[in-house]
Amino acid sequence: MHSIATRLGARRRDRAKQVLLRRTGQTLAYVLAIYVLLFLIGLPLIDFCTLGLRSQALFMAAHDSAFNASKCKSFLVDISSSEQAAKTVAESSALRAASLMNGTTIDSVVTSILVTNINSLATTRQTAPLSQPADTSQYVYQIEVVVTGRVKPLLMFSRNIFGDIPGLTQELKLAVRACENCESTQGLTM
């Protein structure tokens, strides 16, 4: 009888060890799956979503700058403190729009005049005021604003592991361009 009881006890212990090993294996598989989902997939996705949201601030800055600059009555010279030039308004609008989102930095704002011939559709770009008065019967005049800036990811990953990847291990550099039709074409000479 003693040997039967010993054998039954040994079998129970063996089964308990097997169940424990199975549970440990399942736990390790769950931990590995959570690690892969969270760290290898989830965090980079969160990082790229953050880049998308922050880059929208640059797009908004370019669009708002072009929209506000197109309404100005002069291109380069401020008429008064309340009626500023297109270049001044474009820069202040871009900085204001980009300041709404953390992690967005504006490096430069370039304001240009686009002159498009109605017949040939040839376009010229210039950053200085027009040398002659605007001829709206021959040309279409637009204000173009190019905003260049940097967008910082939410989490900076290690350059040692991933290398130099813009948007993952370093800031992402963007240049955004927006155009609007000029409302006061005669002010483009100032």
Side-chain angles (χ1 to χ4, degrees), residues 49-66 90-109 145-152 172 174-178:
C49 289
T50 303
L51 281 175
L53 287 173
R54 288 180 175 171
S55 65
Q56 283 299 317
L58 283 181
F59 288 105
M60 186 176 70
H63 177 73
D64 286 352
S65 295
E91 190 168 324
S92 63
S93 293
L95 291 173
R96 188 176 340 105
S99 70
L100 297 175
M101 182 69 71
N102 275 346
T104 303
T105 306
I106 291 184
D107 295 329
S108 69
V109 178
V145 177
V146 178
V147 176
T148 306
R150 293 172 281 132
V151 179
K152 185 184 274 187
L172 181 65
L174 294 172
V176 183
R177 181 181 313 257

Side-chain angles (χ1 to χ4, degrees), residues 26-99:
Q26 289 173 348
T27 304
L28 288 175
Y30 289 140
V31 168
L32 184 63
I34 289 172
Y35 175 79
V36 166
L37 287 175
L38 183 64
F39 291 107
L40 299 180
I41 296 174
L43 289 178
L45 280 177
I46 290 170
D47 223 14
F48 288 129
C49 289
T50 303
L51 281 175
L53 287 173
R54 288 180 175 171
S55 65
Q56 283 299 317
L58 283 181
F59 288 105
M60 186 176 70
H63 177 73
D64 286 352
S65 295
F67 180 76
N68 292 332
S70 70
K71 297 182 179 307
C72 294
K73 294 184 179 176
S74 71
F75 181 70
L76 188 60
V77 180
D78 292 343
I79 296 173
S80 67
S81 61
S82 62
E83 291 186 12
Q84 295 180 330
K87 281 194 170 203
T88 308
V89 169
E91 190 168 324
S92 63
S93 293
L95 291 173
R96 188 176 340 105
S99 70

Side-chain angles (χ1 to χ4, degrees), residues 143-182:
I143 299 290
E144 177 188 57
V145 177
V146 178
V147 176
T148 306
R150 293 172 281 132
V151 179
K152 185 184 274 187
L154 182 66
L155 302 169
M156 288 282 224
F157 287 87
S158 173
R159 284 186 178 171
N160 298 334
I161 297 171
F162 296 104
D164 287 332
I165 302 173
L168 196 62
T169 60
Q170 62 186 4
E171 292 180 333
L172 181 65
K173 296 176 185 174
L174 294 172
V176 183
R177 181 181 313 257
C179 297
E180 288 288 333
N181 288 334
C182 186

